[in-house]
Amino acid sequence: ETGVTQSPTHLIKTRGQQVTLRCSSQSGHNTVSWYQQALGQGPQFIFQYYREEENGRGNFPPRFSGLQFPNYSSELNVNALELDDSALYLCASSLPGGRSDTQYFGPGTRLTVL
Amino acid sequence: TQLLEQSPQFLSIQEGENLTVYCNSSSVFSSLQWYRQEPGEGPVLLVTVVTGGEVKKLKRLTFQFGDARKDSSLHITAAQPGDTGLYLCAGARDNAGNMLTFGGGTRLMVKP
């Protein structure tokens, strides 16, 4: 059983550019959540996808968007990058159905915006 | 604004000492999870507590969920250098537990 994988590992962009981050969920998991973790802080929930539909969103502007594909992998897209977007972006997959579903996190993508 | 406040933010102790990390909120959560994160990796789930007053033990780690399900604590007995890392609490508001609100984390360093 493969775990959650993310690509790329590291990425450097400049202000105003666009970026796409990718996540492959754990085998059989149909729910993917994305989090932003700024340096020295806890992760902040961006949004969640369940069966290819957005299933909840945190306090992030519309320039943060996402997709989930039929194989449950997911993308996070960020347009018009700002310096404050520099962070570790984590995705987590889960299989909803219980009261306390376990989320399995990937290693993250470290985005630096210059 | 963090809905979950963790304290302390940083903790540096000697091997063999005991410590407690606190996670407090004014909100009620349906469940609360504790994670440990190492540099360059994603958070790894340690435990989930769901019932007010619940206590769970994982070797030298003891987790407690407050009676009102608004706060939690993590107690480590006889800390070891391998316990070094970032400890995160996270609350879930719905029964599915999928959307998590994280605390700011407690960075623990255990010196040999």
Side-chain angles (χ1 to χ4, degrees):
Chain A
E1 181 177 279
T2 57
V4 178
T5 59
Q6 292 186 242
S7 62
T9 307
H10 297 87
L11 200 54
I12 298 175
K13 292 283 189 178
T14 56
R15 276 187 304 173
Q17 286 189 310
Q18 179 266 342
V19 69
T20 297
L21 310 181
R22 295 178 175 83
C23 171
S24 291
S25 59
Q26 185 154 325
S27 178
H29 286 185
N30 57 13
T31 301
V32 174
S33 304
W34 285 91
Y35 294 83
Q36 180 195 66
Q37 186 176 22
L39 196 62
Q41 297 183 21
Q44 300 255 331
F45 175 73
I46 303 174
F47 44 56
Q48 180 183 91
Y49 278 82
Y50 171 62
R51 292 185 176 178
E52 303 177 58
E53 297 283 334
E54 188 177 291
N55 187 39
R57 190 178 183 92
N59 189 27
F60 280 80
R63 57 190 187 83
F64 285 78
S65 63
L67 281 174
Q68 187 178 31
F69 301 98
N71 66 354
Y72 303 134
S73 65
S74 178
E75 285 183 356
L76 164 64
N77 299 289
V78 187
N79 294 323
L81 283 167
E82 301 176 0
L83 296 179
D84 285 349
D85 295 334
S86 295
L88 180 68
Y89 287 85
L90 297 161
C91 84
S93 74
S94 59
L95 186 63
R99 186 176 177 185
S100 309
D101 303 301
T102 299
Q103 295 198 32
Y104 295 88
F105 282 84
T109 293
R110 172 75 59 189
L111 172 65
T112 302
V113 182
L114 302 175
Chain B
T1 302
Q2 291 278 11
L3 293 179
L4 277 170
E5 297 288 339
Q6 278 187 246
S7 62
Q9 287 184 284
F10 301 97
L11 193 54
S12 180
I13 60 173
Q14 292 294 135
E15 181 177 1
E17 292 183 8
N18 302 331
L19 67 115
T20 302
V21 176
Y22 299 94
C23 179
N24 296 301
S25 175
S26 57
S27 303
V28 175
F29 292 97
S30 60
S31 69
L32 200 137
Q33 302 175 5
W34 284 91
Y35 290 83
R36 181 166 162 236
Q37 185 178 22
E38 304 210 37
E41 298 180 12
V44 175
L45 180 68
L46 296 173
V47 78
T48 301
V49 284
V50 298
T51 306
E54 182 176 4
V55 176
K56 280 192 174 179
K57 293 193 175 184
L58 186 66
K59 296 183 181 178
R60 293 176 294 100
L61 277 61
T62 302
F63 305 85
Q64 186 163 6
F65 202 10
D67 291 341
R69 291 186 290 134
K70 293 182 180 180
D71 54 82
S72 181
S73 64
L74 157 61
H75 182 80
I76 301 179
T77 304
Q80 298 176 2
D83 296 327
T84 294
L86 178 68
Y87 288 83
L88 295 158
C89 66
R93 291 190 172 280
D94 56 47
N95 286 338
N98 279 298
M99 301 179 199
L100 298 175
T101 299
F102 279 86
T106 294
R107 188 161 298 281
L108 171 66
M109 177 175 288
V110 182
K111 294 178 282 188

